[in-house]
Amino acid sequence: MSRNLHVDYRSSVSYVGTVLKYLSLTLLFPTAVAVYYRESPVPFLVALVVAVAVGLALERLEPEPMLGHREAFLLVSLTWLVVPLVGTIPYLVAGQGTVAHPVDALFESMSGFTTTGATVLGEISVERHSRSMLLWRQLTQWLGGMGILVLMVAILSELSVGGTQLIREEAPGIEVEKLTPRIRDTARALWAIYAGFTVLAVAVYYGLHLVGLAPNMTFYNAVAHALTTLPTGGFSPEARSVEAFTPAVQWAVMLFMIVAGTNFALYWYAVRGQPDRLQRNPEFRTYLFAMGVVGVLLSGLLFLGVGLAETPAIDPLPGDLEHSLRQGLFQAIAIVTTTGYASMDFNTWDPSTKVILLFAMFLGGSAGSAAGSVKIVRWYVIQASMHREMFKIVHPQAVRPVRMGKAGDVVDEDTIHSIFVFVGLFLTLFVVSTVLLFLDAHRTGLSLSALEATSATIATLGNVGPGFGLVGPMESYYPFSNAAKLYMVFLMWIGRLEILSVLVIFTPAYWRS
């Protein structure tokens, strides 16, 4: 069978084994935490042994793998399926709480690695789930944030040949920006920036604790929240999410969520002496504008008192400018960047504010960031394309390319076509999945409103995390049936890889010559 005509699946699977073997080393971190807190390290050691064993076995399928165009698609899709499967082992071996069930463990693991932040944990506490287990949940998000294969390209020289396509399929945007002459060095640069901001977040969070502005932001909490802020995961070891912390912490978290939702390539240019590229970048300006508009709308409604459907279990917001502004901006930033943290239970907000938040779930952060959903750059190009079409109706002979900004780079027609296909497919999947979840709830007798089904769909497909009602920020996805949870695992999987990279392997044309 010619490698040029057919998919060499053995090479793809062999590389999955290599990835699994190296990624198993990350299990040493929760193992060390378990030993430090005198908890059982067995769940992580078992997972480590299994990961190494499976990795070595898969590598033997093809001792000299070759990575072509088609093999890259399969490698990316399989990696993001196999790694979360292995990630379930600590939950299953520990056997604590709701994640002791295989379906729930897979849901939690997939949610972690895809940085969705949705959870089936019935009770989030160190008493119910050990510190090491909750930190493992945080670490899975951090590993998935910048990209598992981006990390592997940075580490493994054998993946550098096809590294550009791997990064493009794992973290697609308009284009993979080559920051350095070699893609391996580019991957290292991106991960260095990502890790650097994570360390900075730990320092800021814990620094607030040391100066007395955040009494319960211990070093453990600082690390745990930094590990989920930068990957836009948003899962907190605190049952009440970021509501458990002081306003100073919430403002700091806002800053790092904005950082996480920005194209990391812009930080590279800033470090290299071109900070003006941030302010000149049309996507970045649109990204800030979108969060600002959503945040101001929410803050205004909360300040006037019309944004609350019921009195929250904290100080009232109406008439309190700082409080209203903080809550409105926080939730706007958390949802647009798909981080999914909550500074209060927005289930207590009225339908008008929930509609605004639902709209924000479709925006997403910047391309080249850790954020999910559709992403701002695609909406920017769609808006520019629509504006061009209206102009051409009036001036049919005019030649007017779509540009990123008034004098920016021209977006080629193939890219515009791909963006429209992606958004059309995303919205189609959203509608179909909402109906399926609603019908499954009716089948099982689960009381699920249309708004709850809608938010659960976009929250998993867009890797946002929380929704409304049953899946609100202080609630859990646990009540759904196993079939529904497995379907949402599928949505998180294809959502993280932006749909096409996964669905292409299910087409007959992919496997035929």
Side-chain angles (χ1 to χ4, degrees):
M1 198 178 278
S2 173
R3 290 190 179 192
N4 294 324
L5 298 179
H6 296 279
V7 179
D8 181 13
Y9 72 91
R10 287 178 175 269
S11 289
S12 299
V13 174
S14 177
Y15 274 127
V16 171
T18 303
V19 170
L20 202 59
K21 182 180 69 176
Y22 280 94
L23 208 63
S24 66
L25 296 175
T26 61
L27 285 155
L28 294 174
F29 181 55
T31 300
V33 173
V35 171
Y36 178 80
Y37 285 106
R38 297 183 180 180
E39 299 166 349
S40 175
V42 171
F44 310 109
L45 293 175
V46 170
L48 192 154
V49 171
V50 171
V52 171
V54 172
L56 290 172
L58 294 179
E59 279 187 322
R60 291 174 64 87
L61 288 175
E62 180 56 73
E64 297 180 3
M66 294 177 62
L67 192 63
H69 177 70
R70 298 190 189 187
E71 288 76 22
F73 281 109
L74 189 59
L75 169 57
V76 170
S77 298
L78 287 179
T79 295
W80 280 89
L81 184 60
V82 173
V83 169
L85 280 170
V86 173
T88 66
I89 295 174
Y91 302 127
L92 295 175
V93 173
Q96 296 173 320
T98 52
V99 286
H101 189 280
V103 172
D104 293 322
L106 178 58
F107 184 99
E108 202 70 24
S109 182
M110 184 64 78
S111 177
F113 280 104
T114 59
T115 73
T116 303
T119 184
V120 291
L121 293 175
E123 177 188 335
I124 301 176
S125 67
V126 294
E127 290 76 28
R128 181 63 167 163
H129 303 277
S130 65
R131 286 181 175 83
S132 55
M133 191 61 67
L134 288 177
L135 205 61
W136 167 242
R137 178 65 168 79
Q138 309 297 77
L139 182 62
T140 59
Q141 292 179 107
W142 191 75
L143 292 170
M146 182 50 65
I148 296 169
L149 288 170
V150 177
L151 176 61
M152 291 301 109
V153 170
I155 296 173
L156 305 176
S157 58
E158 57 264 39
L159 286 178
S160 60
V161 175
T164 300
Q165 187 183 348
L166 290 178
I167 294 175
R168 182 183 291 116
E169 302 309 331
E170 183 179 58
I174 280 190
E175 182 182 354
V176 175
E177 203 155 3
K178 203 168 184 181
L179 307 179
T180 63
R182 295 190 303 173
I183 194 64
R184 185 182 182 187
D185 292 335
T186 297
R188 287 176 174 176
L190 291 173
W191 261 92
I193 295 169
Y194 181 62
F197 274 123
T198 304
V199 172
L200 181 60
V202 173
V204 170
Y205 296 164
Y206 190 55
L208 290 173
H209 171 77
L210 294 177
V211 298
L213 294 176
N216 56 341
M217 182 56 79
T218 62
F219 184 72
Y220 174 88
N221 267 334
V223 172
H225 287 84
L227 289 177
T228 53
T229 307
L230 270 300
T232 69
F235 180 84
S236 172
E238 295 288 340
R240 301 293 297 181
S241 190
V242 184
E243 184 187 83
F245 300 101
T246 61
V249 171
Q250 294 173 11
W251 285 110
V253 171
M254 276 189 250
L255 174 62
F256 283 105
M257 286 193 293
I258 293 172
V259 167
T262 301
N263 188 336
F264 275 74
L266 295 177
Y267 299 130
W268 168 258
Y269 291 121
V271 170
R272 305 287 289 185
Q274 302 179 60
D276 58 313
R277 293 192 64 151
L278 264 171
Q279 63 183 33
R280 290 191 290 107
N281 185 271
E283 182 191 17
F284 181 66
R285 294 200 305 267
T286 307
Y287 163 64
L288 294 181
F289 178 76
M291 288 187 294
V293 169
V294 174
V296 168
L297 284 174
L298 292 175
S299 299
L301 290 171
L302 295 173
F303 180 76
L304 295 173
V306 296
L308 295 172
E310 57 186 85
T311 303
I314 57 175
D315 295 335
L317 278 77
D320 187 332
L321 181 59
E322 188 278 335
H323 199 175
S324 300
L325 190 63
R326 173 163 43 87
Q327 299 297 347
L329 285 175
F330 188 98
Q331 289 313 146
I333 295 168
I335 296 300
V336 170
T337 62
T338 70
T339 307
Y341 275 138
S343 57
M344 70 176 292
D345 187 358
F346 51 75
N347 265 338
T348 63
W349 296 7
D350 86 340
S352 63
T353 49
K354 289 179 181 177
V355 168
I356 295 172
L357 284 175
L358 186 65
F359 163 78
M361 290 179 183
F362 287 88
L363 296 178
S366 305
S369 74
S373 198
V374 176
K375 290 194 171 67
I376 292 292
V377 68
R378 290 193 175 98
W379 293 121
Y380 184 96
V381 172
I382 288 173
Q383 174 273 139
S385 300
M386 293 170 64
H387 187 266
R388 179 184 66 171
E389 292 307 308
M390 288 187 285
F391 179 83
K392 290 181 70 175
I393 290 174
V394 180
H395 306 281
Q397 303 302 318
V399 177
R400 187 171 183 173
V402 173
R403 294 180 179 274
M404 290 298 295
K406 290 183 179 180
D409 296 334
V410 173
V411 183
D412 66 80
E413 296 302 316
D414 287 341
T415 299
I416 295 172
H417 174 74
S418 298
I419 288 173
F420 273 95
V421 168
F422 170 82
V423 174
L425 185 56
F426 187 96
L427 295 177
T428 301
L429 271 169
F430 162 71
V431 172
V432 171
S433 300
T434 298
V435 173
L436 290 176
L437 290 181
F438 193 77
L439 291 176
D440 183 78
H442 179 73
R443 175 185 67 86
T444 59
L446 177 65
S447 179
L448 189 72
S449 69
L451 180 62
E452 289 171 326
T454 299
S455 66
T457 301
I458 184 59
T460 48
L461 179 61
N463 305 127
V464 179
F468 306 118
L470 185 68
V471 293
M474 311 304 176
E475 306 299 330
S476 164
Y477 283 73
Y478 180 70
F480 282 95
S481 70
N482 286 337
K485 281 183 275 195
L486 285 174
Y487 184 72
M488 285 187 278
V489 165
F490 170 74
L491 291 180
M492 289 187 280
W493 177 42
I494 65 173
R496 174 59 181 82
L497 298 177
E498 302 202 349
I499 302 173
L500 292 170
S501 297
V502 176
L503 294 189
V504 69
I505 68 174
F506 294 103
T507 62
Y510 172 78
W511 297 97
R512 289 199 299 261
S513 61

